[in-house]
Structure formats: structure tokens, C-alpha cells
Amino acid sequence: MTHLPINHTAFSHGQVTSKKWLCEELEPHIPDNAVIWVLGSWYNLIAFMLMIRGNKKIHSIVGFDLDPEATATADWICNAWNCFDPCVFNKTADANSLDWSDPPDVVINCSGEHFETAAWWHHVPQHTVVAI
């Protein structure tokens, strides 16, 4: 078994409760077969929670985080969703420098307070569902 550094704060009552609330509020606005990007995804628990709830047919969820250790942990946490038909991907990348030529249907930024700039915001196409 791989031993990954995990900050248990990610699983605190407040973190999990707020992500559950986000799922409940966001799901009615997610189009079927959506591509979702999670910016500042940390361990991408939001992808895990959206997938396990199963309330929407989601094409894929891509989490972006600056920390390669967080990306590795996110891969481990979301591994079950990639056993047969990969649909959750985690990438180490700066959300302010993403290629928006093939944009997602939904953008979730659960870490807006940690972003030094709002450069990412200026790339979001009109009519994209956004949760900050």
C-alpha cells in the first residue's frame, strides 16, 4: 500500500459538510454528460463526492492543483472511478495558466481565497456553470 501524506483537515466536519452542500446545490445545474473542472482541487474530494452521489451522468471531472503531493493523493482517493472507464483525472497545474480551447461545462473553484489573481476567471466562457 502506498503511504501518501494526507492533511486530515480535508476530512473535517466543516470541509465535508460544505462539499455536501455544494453537491446538493450544484447538481440541478450540471448538464448531463458534463465535463467539470475543479480548480484548486487539493485532494479532489468534490469529484469523489459528486461521483459517489450518482445524481448526475458526468462525462469527466478534472482536478487541477499546484501541489504534486495533493495530486497524487487525489489520484489515490478517486482511483475507484477509474477502474473501468476513466472519468476522474487529477493534474498538477496552475489554474491561471490552463488551456481553455476546449472548455468545460462546469467550473468549480473551492479555493478561491488561495488564488493570488483572478486570471482564471477571465477565461471562463459565457454561460458556463461556475461555483466559487
Side-chain angles (χ1 to χ4, degrees), residues 4 9 24 32 44 56-57 73 77 98 108 125:
L4 297 167
T9 303
E24 292 168 349
D32 284 335
N44 211 356
K56 280 293 192 178
K57 168 73 172 111
T73 302
I77 289 170
L98 297 177
I108 301 170

Side-chain angles (χ1 to χ4, degrees), residues 40 55 79 81 98 117 130-131:
N55 291 336
N79 183 46
W81 305 111
L98 297 177
T117 73
V130 178

Side-chain angles (χ1 to χ4, degrees), residues 31-45:
D32 284 335
N33 212 29
V35 173
I36 301 171
W37 285 5
V38 182
L39 311 182
S41 59
W42 197 10
Y43 299 152
N44 211 356
L45 291 180

